[in-house]
Amino acid sequence: MAKQKIVVKVTMNTEKKARKALQIAVSLFGVQSASFVGSDKDQIAVTGEGIDPVELTTLLRKGVGYTELLSVGPVEEKKPAAATVASLNFNPYQYYYGNYGMPYYAYAYEI
């Protein structure tokens, strides 16, 4: 199976409901990540393999409240840009520490 992305709109009035909704979403089998999306952070985007969107929606309705399934689709994979080669010029003699003398604990004091 291919990775899929499910977006669900959940009515979350309090911080406690938001945490509970995210906990329910993450507890399903096959979920790789879940995050809040949308302008009001009232939507949860869940990505993974083999996730049942109806089961997710039903569990969120039972646990949190009103839930609406917005979209189900494949994950849009970002292709990495062409690799660029960066050179690093390292000069081992760049820093000169001069004569700082011996550390204070190395001096022998006689009493």
Side-chain angles (χ1 to χ4, degrees):
M1 292 191 110
K3 282 188 179 180
Q4 60 184 356
K5 181 177 181 179
I6 302 169
V7 180
V8 181
K9 183 175 182 178
V10 182
T11 303
M12 298 175 285
N13 300 332
T14 62
E15 188 70 28
K16 183 178 179 180
K17 281 190 176 185
R19 283 191 308 249
K20 188 172 184 179
L22 202 58
Q23 184 179 10
I24 291 170
V26 172
S27 68
L28 284 175
F29 177 76
V31 173
Q32 293 177 347
S33 68
S35 61
F36 293 111
V37 293
S39 59
D40 297 333
K41 302 291 183 194
D42 61 346
Q43 300 174 0
I44 298 177
V46 180
T47 57
E49 288 187 35
I51 305 169
D52 186 13
V54 175
E55 182 183 2
L56 173 65
T57 307
T58 305
L59 287 173
L60 285 171
R61 281 183 185 157
K62 286 180 181 178
V64 180
Y66 180 77
T67 304
E68 181 181 352
L69 183 61
L70 295 179
S71 69
V72 178
V75 174
E76 300 167 357
E77 304 252 349
K78 294 181 181 176
K79 295 182 180 178
T84 58
V85 177
S87 63
L88 176 64
N89 296 329
F90 178 70
N91 183 2
Y93 304 106
Q94 181 178 1
Y95 300 106
Y96 176 72
Y97 292 104
N99 296 329
Y100 287 121
M102 298 199 38
Y104 71 92
Y105 55 83
Y107 291 109
Y109 294 106
E110 291 185 25
I111 297 177

